[in-house]
Amino acid sequence: MTAPAESPLTALIVDDLANQGWSHQHLVLPADLTTALAEECRARSAAGSLAPASVGRGEGQQIREGVRGDRIHWLEPGQSAASDAYLALMDELRQRLNRELYMGLEDFECHFALYPPGAFYQKHLDRFRDDDRRAVSVVAYLNADWQPDQGGALRLYLADGEHDVQPEGGSLVVFLSAELPHEVLPANRERLSLAGWFRRRGGAL
Ligand code: OGA
Ligand code: MN
């Protein structure tokens, strides 16, 4: 049996996660995939099918625009060729993380997120207090020609200080969900991303 082709990109992400718990890969998604995903997100927005994001889970779920102001759509397999291509890339990364770091990641959940101008997401951790399945967060950006003076950075609160990532289309940020506090700063233009989580087995505590 031959091993699947090993992509250099997933190797870099695995090394970064093992060494520092996070990874930023600039302009790594295929350009046509980034464009197709951005178009799909905008089309869903225009059709009114993005819903205000909530905070918390289960019965504790609430919509609080003072905490996060993005609008979202959860990806389902088969909803579009672009979404399926993205989910396939993520599954490749999931398998690589399991093989090399023994992470035991079982599945991936992911949503489009559209932040209107001025919207933000306050400092938070991605792992819920009452559900510890989320292990690794992956954010992919879908914004062409992002300029730093447009705001909208993802601010990571690392052990040695803050680090801002620009939401430039085609870039990926991957980090350990339970460990890295982060926030989305407001932007003066619409900001599109795909936010996703590799989950372990387990369940609500
Ligand atoms: C999230 C999140 C970051 C981003 O949805 O939990 O932190 O840059 N998103 O969109
Ligand atoms: Mn988050």
Side-chain angles (χ1 to χ4, degrees):
M1 200 174 86
T2 49
E6 306 276 276
S7 108
L9 167 64
T10 56
L12 291 172
I13 293 174
V14 166
D15 285 351
D16 279 349
L17 272 189
N19 294 331
Q20 61 182 22
W22 67 283
S23 183
H24 175 208
Q25 301 295 331
H26 189 60
L27 297 176
V28 290
L29 289 182
D32 55 349
L33 177 59
T34 306
T35 306
L37 290 167
E39 280 170 6
E40 178 174 349
C41 183
R42 274 195 215 93
R44 291 184 183 280
S45 174
S49 67
L50 300 188
S54 57
V55 178
R57 63 179 289 283
E59 291 177 2
Q61 231 176 43
Q62 293 175 6
I63 292 164
R64 290 166 62 192
E65 284 182 13
V67 177
R68 64 183 293 190
D70 54 330
R71 301 178 66 81
I72 67 168
H73 171 87
W74 288 97
L75 267 62
E76 297 291 345
Q79 75 178 31
S80 72
S83 291
D84 281 355
Y86 184 72
L87 292 174
L89 281 179
M90 290 299 115
D91 205 60
E92 201 181 294
L93 177 57
R94 182 183 69 79
Q95 292 181 42
R96 183 81 173 244
L97 289 168
N98 285 347
R99 211 158 52 235
E100 303 208 1
L101 302 181
Y102 307 103
M103 293 197 80
L105 306 172
E106 284 232 302
D107 66 6
F108 182 66
E109 57 174 4
C110 176
H111 62 61
F112 282 113
L114 183 152
Y115 289 76
F120 54 86
Y121 193 161
Q122 280 181 355
K123 186 176 175 183
H124 65 280
L125 282 174
D126 283 346
R127 182 173 283 188
F128 297 118
R129 268 191 296 268
D130 60 346
D131 181 344
D132 64 358
R133 280 176 298 172
R134 286 181 172 181
V136 178
S137 305
V138 185
V139 189
Y141 296 107
L142 307 177
N143 311 291
D145 303 318
W146 195 274
Q147 302 300 322
D149 67 0
Q150 294 171 327
L154 170 67
R155 178 162 290 168
L156 303 174
Y157 291 88
L158 305 174
D160 58 355
E162 296 169 11
H163 177 82
D164 285 357
V165 172
Q166 300 300 323
E168 176 64 28
S171 304
L172 279 185
V173 178
V174 184
F175 55 89
L176 299 177
S177 305
E179 286 171 26
L180 187 48
H182 55 281
E183 76 175 298
V184 177
L185 302 176
N188 58 19
R189 64 178 261 202
E190 190 172 84
R191 176 191 192 276
L192 307 181
S193 61
L194 274 166
W197 298 273
F198 293 113
R199 299 189 303 184
R200 291 204 171 100
R201 203 194 320 263
L205 300 177

